[in-house]
Amino acid sequence: MRPGRGRFQSLAAMFGFVLGLILLLGSLNLAIGIDRATRRGRQHAEYLLVNKRVSTAGMLTYIRPTFTEREIEDLRAQQFVVDVGEFTTNRFRASTLPGAGVSINDGAAPPDPNRSGMQFEMPLYTELFFESVPDRFLDVRPPNWEWSEDSDYLPIIMSREFLNLYNFSFALAQRLPQIPESLIGSMTGSVTVSGAGGRRTLAARVVGLSDRIPSIIVPEGFMQWANREIAGERQERPSRLIAKVDRPADPDMLAYFKQRNFQVNSERLRAGQVGRMAVLALTAVGAVGMAFVVLALLLFVLLSRLIIAEAGDRIRLLLQLGYAPNTLAACALSRFWLGLLIVALAAGAILGVALPFAYARLREVGL
């Protein structure tokens, strides 16, 4: 019953079957791995900064793009949103005084002007901007963060990116000393706030570095007091929001922001988008692999029927000699299953080598 012809067709069918199994099982394994990784990422909520686009007309008319209560409630009602917070910006002028010092201490308590230690002064004067958000949106909660009206000490949370810009751009250009993160909590200085309601100087210190919010954050209590008492202005509608989302790769969320012309820090969504696109691409590759497997199986069946047709005279002779039909069928099927087993082992060996390499490449691109 061995085929006299069709060996090339058999080898082609085996090659197609191996290729199909590699594509099917490899894409399935990678898709499950990527989906599991993105699922673990979705267990940790993502925080998005949302603002409206600044138009040319708004620049000329000084009209700020702000959010209405209806827009905020509509955003809060979306299924992918867990919570929404409002940024409050300063309506007063704020600046640092030259001569801010750095003292080597533990940085746990408010600055003490009578405390001695290693100090040097930085000849730095700059205008400042402040923002505040509800405390539940902060990624760092340092001690002594609360502020009251009788306090002369102002704690500040600064973006880590600001420190990097100072150390590797501004400080190098102005020949100022660079500040390590370990000493940022020991920075003592003065902040002056002024406006229609008067002027006040407070001791200030950076008590934490934020990776979530690229801004200079002060306590909400200080911001509300200063806007009311120093700036003498009523609270305005927010121009920026922070949204806590639990499905950062949700296509409905991207469509929602695009439809309403909202800007978000889309870099935080890129990993989820890449993961979703990778799963879709692997699904397509798996479908191609499934087609290869089905076609290879059909080719195997056709070749088997051809072999049986060619061996018809010998099969009839074997039956006349007394061999049972089940015995002959078992002989043919054993060869068929043996060929499938060899093909599956070859595909498994190739996948065992290729999958670790593929996962290493995915880790390099951040998946």
Side-chain angles (χ1 to χ4, degrees):
M1 295 181 63
R2 293 179 180 176
R5 294 179 299 173
R7 294 184 182 276
F8 176 76
Q9 290 87 343
S10 299
L11 291 176
M14 294 180 66
F15 176 78
F17 200 78
V18 170
L19 181 60
L21 279 180
I22 291 174
L23 293 177
L24 177 61
L25 299 179
S27 60
L28 180 63
N29 187 286
L30 289 173
I32 292 175
I34 293 175
D35 183 69
R36 186 181 297 118
T38 54
R39 195 183 303 276
R40 284 197 302 266
R42 288 194 295 266
Q43 292 176 357
H44 305 283
E46 190 67 74
Y47 292 83
L48 302 179
L49 304 183
V50 186
N51 59 271
K52 292 186 175 181
R53 298 182 183 274
V54 178
S55 64
T56 304
M59 180 188 69
L60 297 176
T61 58
Y62 292 91
I63 298 177
R64 298 179 180 179
T66 58
F67 291 92
T68 64
E69 285 296 329
R70 183 176 180 179
E71 290 173 329
I72 297 174
E73 292 302 323
D74 180 66
L75 177 60
R76 187 176 284 114
Q78 300 303 311
Q79 294 182 353
F80 49 81
V81 174
V82 179
D83 195 5
V84 176
E86 302 177 8
F87 278 86
T88 304
T89 59
N90 60 301
R91 307 299 178 190
F92 50 87
R93 297 192 64 179
S95 61
T96 61
L97 293 177
V102 177
S103 60
I104 308 302
N105 54 45
D106 56 7
D112 185 358
N114 298 321
R115 188 171 182 174
S116 61
M118 296 178 56
Q119 295 187 356
F120 64 89
E121 292 189 350
M122 297 178 61
L124 179 64
Y125 171 85
T126 181
E127 297 285 337
L128 294 175
F129 68 92
F130 291 140
E131 288 185 296
S132 68
V133 294
D135 291 348
R136 64 183 183 275
F137 291 97
L138 297 175
D139 55 337
V140 289
R141 292 294 301 273
N144 303 318
W145 178 244
E146 302 299 329
W147 188 88
S148 59
E149 295 186 15
D150 57 350
S151 175
D152 291 327
Y153 162 66
L154 178 64
I156 295 173
I157 295 177
M158 185 174 67
S159 171
R160 181 173 272 106
E161 285 300 316
F162 286 5
L163 179 62
N164 292 335
L165 287 173
Y166 168 82
N167 281 334
F168 304 109
S169 297
F170 187 79
L172 296 179
Q174 301 296 324
R175 297 187 178 182
L176 294 172
Q178 293 178 307
I179 305 173
E181 289 189 14
S182 58
L183 293 182
I184 192 66
S186 300
M187 287 288 299
T188 61
S190 298
V191 171
T192 298
V193 294
S194 59
R199 179 187 180 94
R200 183 171 176 180
T201 300
L202 302 94
R205 181 166 60 200
V206 177
V207 295
L209 296 175
S210 174
D211 293 313
R212 180 180 299 166
I213 304 175
S215 185
I216 303 175
I217 304 299
V218 294
E220 273 199 308
F222 168 78
M223 184 66 76
Q224 294 172 0
W225 170 85
N227 279 338
R228 183 181 65 252
E229 301 296 335
I230 300 296
E233 296 185 9
R234 60 181 179 84
Q235 185 67 31
E236 294 187 2
R237 291 183 301 190
S239 58
R240 191 157 68 143
L241 305 175
I242 180 169
K244 180 180 179 182
V245 298
D246 58 355
R247 289 179 290 175
D250 191 340
D252 293 336
M253 179 182 65
L254 301 178
Y256 174 86
F257 289 133
K258 185 176 181 180
Q259 180 183 6
R260 284 157 179 78
N261 202 27
F262 292 168
Q263 284 185 318
V264 296
N265 47 336
S266 56
E267 285 294 327
R268 294 183 177 270
L269 308 178
R270 180 165 296 179
Q273 294 174 356
V274 171
R276 183 169 57 87
M277 294 176 61
V279 170
L280 292 176
L282 290 172
T283 302
V285 173
V288 174
M290 176 62 75
F292 270 71
V293 170
V294 172
L295 292 176
L297 286 175
L298 290 176
L299 185 55
F300 271 126
V301 171
L302 292 175
L303 287 174
S304 300
R305 298 183 67 176
L306 178 61
I307 292 170
I308 293 174
E310 289 181 347
D313 294 337
R314 282 169 286 180
I315 292 174
R316 283 190 292 270
L317 178 59
L318 290 172
L319 291 174
Q320 291 174 0
L321 291 175
Y323 283 93
N326 292 336
T327 303
L328 299 179
C331 179
L333 288 175
S334 64
R335 293 181 180 276
F336 179 76
W337 291 118
L338 179 61
L340 290 184
L341 178 61
I342 293 174
V343 167
L345 290 177
I350 295 174
L351 286 174
V353 175
L355 283 177
F357 175 77
Y359 277 114
R361 296 291 298 173
L362 288 176
R363 282 192 294 268
E364 289 179 3
V365 299
L367 291 179

